Amino acid sequence: MEKMTLNFGENLDNIKKKIEKMREDILKYNQYYYTNNESLISDVEYDNLIKELKELEEEYPQFKNVESPTEKVGATNLRESKFQKVTHKKPMLSLSNTYNEGEIGDFIERVRKLIPEDKELKYALELKLDGLSISVQYEKGKLVRGVTRGDGAIGEDVTENIMEITTIPHELSEPLDLEVRGEIVLPLSNFLKLNEKRMEAGEEVFANPRNAASGTLRQIDSSIIKERGLDSYFYFLVDAEKYGVKTHSESIKFLEKLGFKTTGVCEVLESASKLKKRIDYWEKEKENLDYETDGMVIKVDELELWNILGNTTKSPRWAIAYKFPAKQVTTTMLGVTWQVGRTGKVTPVAELEEVLLSGSKVKRASLHNFHEIERKDIRIGDKVFIEKAAEIIPQVVKSIKEFRDGSEIQIVEPTECPVCQSPVAREEGQVDIKCTNPNCPGKIKGRIEYFVSRDAMNISGFGSKMVEKMLELGFIKNAGDIYNLKSHEEELVKIEKMGKRSVEKLLESIEESKKRDYSKVLYALGIPFIGKYSGKLLANASGNIDKLMNMSIEELIEIDGVGDKGAKAVYDFFRDSENLQLIEVLRGYGLQFAQEVKEEQSSEERIFEGKTFLFTGTLKNFKREEIKEEIEKLGGKNLSAVSKNLDYLIIGEKAGSKLKKAQELGTVKILTEDEFLEICGKK
Ligand code: IVH
């Protein structure tokens, strides 16, 4: 790769100014992060900024300053914290990082030089959890205090909040005085659910699980902790030798015995090559975990050697963190396409030179909105970084200005809709622009795609291309017309590539969709701010659509989890004559507009409370979505991969690698579909 050069002009004054500006920016980002739980820039951009500042400070030591954010572990703005400050008995250090597997050998060599030659060396390899670190203290086996890392010397007292994390034991299996350190994380499955809920309530979503965990732990109302499902993993026992253990790996076993949760990964290995092999293994395997890991930690195993090796001011010499390569690549911006969604929102999508990103080919990425394009100064022709966040579509992170040659083209915000050419408008205080034409074909297409999508009416064989074709032929103008497609059967068969059988299948799937629950129908209608989750809440609270239509805004706001914006959107939706007409047409076709009003489920009914499930192979009695719903209805949680956190794997026909993996793990209970039905009381 071409080497990027720092080009700030020769003037020392300019360099000083640049350094000061960088420090100021970092402090601003920190402050936002710790007071508003909001990231103004991506994690990678933040890390790069710190790295760049460090390099400048090293190159120009005359501008070094103890107040610089690079001099502080964690760089927390404690002054802004609403929690009581506590000085750590022993500072909570950081780990020195490497991004290069080759440097693991250098670390081993450095260690070797510092300890007696005849000593046999072994290393413990662990996962590096990407959450926030915590120190927890026990007196006579009882949990007495929890403190965040803060700036490494002083942290925040969050005792009340950690009491709500179910995996942190309140009482140990032995009455000991001790301090343990570990990581608070928000499991990925909970993170996705939380963001979904926030999106539906019109609230800002969390950028990643770490931000969400950090924001959650800092809530004043501690009941939110349990509700969101924070979790903990421990990896460090302070003064471990006091408890009769000789190695770090033994101390981890000891922690497990006392009742702490660990990742279960602490492999003792003796050479750089073995470490690298296992790191490569975990780099792939980490995708199957329900929490985020951003690397591996290598620790000298023998505790006696820790004393010999000691610490630098910031980190111990007996450990190093290897960071996995970021899920980021560079590519070139070829152009921008402006898309119109079902709400009329006009959003920019980057057209890119195709690249491989975390195993999949990518040639389009989100640019969010015009404000983001301006803020990041992204131009057509730019080299850009793109990244993939957990289960989120790729996005353009930043442009690399150093590669510019002057031929780049500035992106302009459209003044008219890219589909129907009507004027666009921006609502007061909003960043998005919207098409003003209520009958814009782009909006109609978006609404129909949404209506037939998997989480809504789940009509198979009705992808984006098909929707386009049907609109083009004039067979459908709104969602109601889908149920009249039967009358076009003959013409459909004649459509290129359709054929008799696929038309029959499509029509069957349309018929079948009439059975979808009332909550799904509510979701499918596409009311702004009403997603999967709030669709269910509205359905449960109203019981039928006539009741829902007649609810006042105040009554709608009362529904727990719906929020002000959602309530207003529902109210307005039912005051639009076109929407009411559509509902009557759908009702006429026999869609579900009522359900039994559900009482709070008793604990007896939530037989799967706290248990996790995954299914694999072909199931006879359920579709994918149906079995997931059944599990959730009974209090269980669906996972997406086999891991140590999985309790049950339900197997259908032709179960393959997931079954093999579960058998290898040995901790997962395997159920046939019939056994599952029996437990649910359906057989
Ligand atoms: S050991 C003195 N082990 O990484 C070092 N840290 O960059 C004690 N972390 O502050 C920490 N996984 O928040 C250790 N297996 C692991 C870890 C781990 C994640 C975090 C921790 C630490 C940071 C350092």
Side-chain angles (χ1 to χ4, degrees):
M1 194 183 129
E2 249 175 271
K3 184 161 165 39
M4 271 188 259
T5 49
L6 297 167
N7 181 12
F8 310 122
E10 309 79 55
N11 190 326
L12 274 181
D13 234 20
N14 283 350
I15 288 162
K16 185 161 176 245
K17 274 197 198 123
K18 168 103 188 169
I19 289 181
E20 278 164 3
K21 171 83 175 60
M22 287 170 92
R23 286 179 185 152
E24 205 180 289
D25 284 350
I26 293 170
L27 286 176
K28 183 173 81 193
Y29 299 146
N30 287 347
Q31 187 167 341
Y32 249 82
Y33 184 76
Y34 285 103
T35 54
N36 307 355
N37 299 312
E38 209 182 297
S39 290
L40 288 183
I41 55 172
S42 79
D43 293 349
V44 184
E45 281 175 290
Y46 181 87
D47 286 347
N48 287 344
L49 193 59
I50 294 268
K51 202 167 153 214
E52 203 182 319
L53 177 58
K54 254 191 215 162
E55 281 167 6
L56 277 175
E57 286 173 341
E58 260 154 44
E59 199 175 336
Y60 300 96
Q62 64 268 47
F63 301 136
K64 274 205 168 189
N65 182 334
V66 283
E67 286 299 310
S68 172
T70 55
E71 300 283 334
K72 301 206 169 123
V73 175
T76 314
N77 189 344
L78 285 166
R79 274 167 301 179
E80 301 288 340
S81 167
K82 35 194 185 247
F83 295 96
Q84 193 122 40
K85 317 295 166 297
V86 183
T87 305
H88 293 294
K89 285 189 205 141
K90 281 202 169 174
M92 284 181 82
L93 297 179
S94 192
L95 290 168
S96 59
N97 284 332
T98 171
Y99 293 85
N100 178 344
E101 275 195 351
E103 288 180 14
I104 294 170
D106 301 345
F107 163 72
I108 288 182
E109 243 171 68
R110 267 199 314 275
V111 169
R112 231 341 356 141
K113 277 191 193 138
L114 290 168
I115 58 160
E117 253 173 56
D118 57 335
K119 263 277 173 214
E120 196 196 330
L121 268 169
K122 286 205 175 110
Y123 301 89
L125 179 70
E126 293 176 347
L127 297 169
K128 186 171 192 303
L129 294 146
D130 196 11
L132 63 144
S133 32
I134 189 91
S135 153
V136 186
Q137 291 160 32
Y138 289 81
E139 282 171 14
K140 299 204 175 66
K142 294 228 166 32
L143 172 59
V144 292
R145 186 178 261 177
V147 186
T148 64
R149 180 168 71 175
D151 67 3
I154 300 171
E156 302 149 299
D157 188 329
V158 287
T159 310
E160 244 179 82
N161 287 357
I162 62 146
M163 291 279 187
E164 297 297 321
I165 301 177
T166 47
T167 51
I168 300 184
H170 284 199
E171 188 154 6
L172 303 178
S173 61
E174 288 177 46
L176 297 169
D177 289 349
L178 58 81
E179 179 181 349
V180 277
R181 292 175 180 180
E183 205 86 350
I184 305 292
V185 300
L186 186 66
L188 281 172
S189 44
N190 294 356
F191 165 71
L192 294 172
K193 214 175 241 172
L194 171 64
N195 263 357
E196 200 174 297
K197 277 193 201 172
R198 288 176 75 89
M199 208 174 322
E200 290 176 13
E203 293 166 359
E204 192 92 28
V205 296
F206 287 110
N208 53 49
R210 176 158 47 82
N211 285 12
S214 155
T216 305
L217 190 71
R218 289 189 172 78
Q219 291 288 328
I220 296 293
D221 175 2
S222 56
S223 66
I224 295 177
I225 315 270
K226 203 179 253 164
E227 187 187 307
R228 292 191 186 166
L230 279 188
D231 206 350
S232 67
Y233 293 92
F234 288 88
Y235 45 63
F236 186 69
L237 171 60
V238 177
D239 293 330
E241 282 169 294
K242 277 207 319 220
Y243 307 92
V245 291
K246 295 234 169 316
T247 61
H248 174 68
S249 48
E250 279 170 30
S251 77
I252 295 293
K253 291 225 176 70
F254 180 59
L255 289 181
E256 286 169 358
K257 211 176 86 199
L258 289 175
F260 292 101
K261 189 167 175 181
T262 72
T263 64
V265 181
C266 183
E267 302 181 353
V268 181
L269 302 158
E270 65 280 359
S271 69
S273 64
K274 284 195 180 146
L275 285 164
K276 280 184 213 162
K277 227 185 222 155
R278 293 305 292 168
I279 288 173
D280 292 344
Y281 168 82
W282 281 109
E283 188 176 349
K284 292 201 191 82
E285 193 56 27
K286 73 173 199 299
E287 304 299 333
N288 291 325
L289 302 170
D290 196 28
Y291 47 84
E292 286 218 303
T293 53
D294 56 347
M296 306 287 297
V297 182
I298 302 165
K299 298 172 179 169
V300 170
D301 198 29
E302 200 170 322
L303 297 174
E304 202 181 45
L305 302 178
W306 289 16
N307 302 324
I308 302 176
L309 292 160
N311 308 317
T312 70
T313 51
K314 285 177 84 172
S315 50
R317 289 196 193 85
W318 42 261
I320 191 167
Y322 167 75
K323 293 279 213 87
F324 292 131
K327 292 184 211 162
Q328 260 201 359
V329 289
T330 60
T331 181
T332 307
M333 278 278 298
L334 301 177
V336 174
T337 306
W338 294 86
Q339 283 187 338
V340 185
R342 72 187 166 90
T343 60
K345 200 157 97 177
V346 179
T347 48
V349 176
E351 304 291 345
L352 308 162
E353 206 167 90
E354 190 170 281
V355 273
L356 211 59
L357 174 64
S358 346
S360 56
K361 282 185 192 161
V362 173
K363 54 180 180 180
R364 309 188 86 201
S366 170
L367 282 163
H368 303 292
N369 53 53
F370 186 68
H371 177 72
E372 280 293 292
I373 297 179
E374 270 190 324
R375 189 176 70 79
K376 295 176 178 165
D377 183 18
I378 293 168
R379 303 181 192 177
I380 297 167
D382 266 346
K383 256 219 171 341
V384 288
F385 269 115
I386 60 166
E387 80 177 352
K388 218 186 243 176
E391 292 210 19
I392 301 171
I393 54 161
Q395 50 185 329
V396 178
V397 181
K398 69 170 197 169
S399 60
I400 315 170
K401 319 265 177 333
E402 285 81 353
F403 287 119
R404 283 194 181 152
D405 63 9
S407 66
E408 294 73 23
I409 302 164
Q410 217 136 19
I411 298 164
V412 279
E413 188 171 37
T415 52
E416 52 182 47
C417 169
V419 175
C420 70
Q421 282 74 47
S422 306
V424 295
R426 176 177 281 111
E427 279 166 34
E428 176 101 10
Q430 298 282 312
V431 281
D432 298 313
I433 46 170
K434 285 188 172 176
C435 169
T436 51
N437 172 9
N439 300 316
C440 168
K443 282 189 198 176
I444 294 171
K445 180 171 171 247
R447 271 185 231 144
I448 293 174
E449 280 174 353
Y450 187 81
F451 186 87
V452 301
S453 66
R454 207 166 78 184
D455 289 336
M457 302 309 282
N458 194 10
I459 302 179
S460 47
F462 220 147
S464 176
K465 287 255 151 54
M466 177 69 92
V467 174
E468 213 163 286
K469 193 98 208 160
M470 299 290 136
L471 284 167
E472 214 178 277
L473 291 167
F475 291 171
I476 51 175
K477 289 193 176 62
N478 61 41
D481 295 336
I482 294 172
Y483 295 95
N484 188 36
L485 274 175
K486 268 196 293 217
S487 66
H488 295 288
E489 185 162 0
E490 305 270 291
E491 294 145 281
L492 285 172
V493 174
K494 287 188 202 125
I495 297 176
E496 203 191 342
K497 285 196 214 143
M498 275 289 277
K500 201 165 163 39
R501 185 64 202 125
S502 59
V503 171
E504 271 169 18
K505 269 184 148 171
L506 175 66
L507 295 176
E508 270 166 30
S509 183
I510 291 173
E511 270 313 294
E512 163 79 23
S513 77
K514 292 182 181 171
K515 294 190 209 138
R516 303 281 174 262
D517 286 353
Y518 167 43
S519 68
K520 294 272 162 99
V521 179
L522 279 180
Y523 170 74
L525 289 174
I527 308 169
F529 302 108
I530 301 304
K532 263 194 297 190
Y533 181 73
S534 33
K536 274 189 200 158
L537 295 176
L538 289 177
N540 280 342
S542 63
N544 68 65
I545 196 132
D546 297 305
K547 184 136 179 253
L548 186 63
M549 280 184 197
N550 290 317
M551 279 185 167
S552 65
I553 295 200
E554 291 72 28
E555 284 172 314
L556 289 163
I557 289 175
E558 286 282 295
I559 303 173
D560 217 11
V562 170
D564 295 2
K565 286 186 195 164
K568 172 139 192 344
V570 173
Y571 186 83
D572 290 346
F573 186 86
F574 292 125
R575 264 118 209 112
D576 177 308
S577 62
E578 239 175 85
N579 293 336
L580 297 177
Q581 228 172 345
L582 174 66
I583 290 166
E584 286 324 309
V585 170
L586 294 174
R587 207 201 294 249
Y589 281 119
L591 271 66
Q592 307 300 312
F593 282 104
Q595 70 164 47
E596 274 172 52
V597 179
K598 281 193 198 138
E599 298 288 321
E600 275 279 299
Q601 259 178 325
S602 71
S603 59
E604 266 161 56
E605 285 168 292
R606 294 177 66 83
I607 49 171
F608 295 153
E609 187 74 57
K611 297 284 178 230
T612 55
F613 290 82
L614 178 69
F615 50 89
T616 183
T618 321
L619 302 175
K620 292 181 298 219
N621 299 290
F622 296 98
K623 288 203 171 138
R624 293 174 65 85
E625 289 309 309
E626 286 170 357
I627 192 164
K628 280 191 179 173
E629 258 172 37
E630 187 64 31
I631 288 165
E632 279 178 17
K633 214 164 75 191
L634 298 173
K637 199 164 101 175
N638 291 292
L639 294 189
S640 54
V642 178
S643 75
K644 271 194 59 192
N645 299 329
L646 182 65
D647 296 313
Y648 294 97
L649 180 73
I650 304 161
I651 50 165
E653 272 170 42
K654 299 205 192 93
S657 63
K658 284 185 185 150
L659 173 59
K660 190 161 161 262
K661 208 163 149 215
Q663 284 166 333
E664 276 165 16
L665 268 177
T667 52
V668 180
K669 291 182 206 69
I670 293 161
L671 295 177
T672 62
E673 193 179 345
D674 285 342
E675 284 169 333
F676 174 75
L677 283 172
E678 214 161 301
I679 298 174
C680 298
K682 299 213 159 192
K683 228 188 148 179

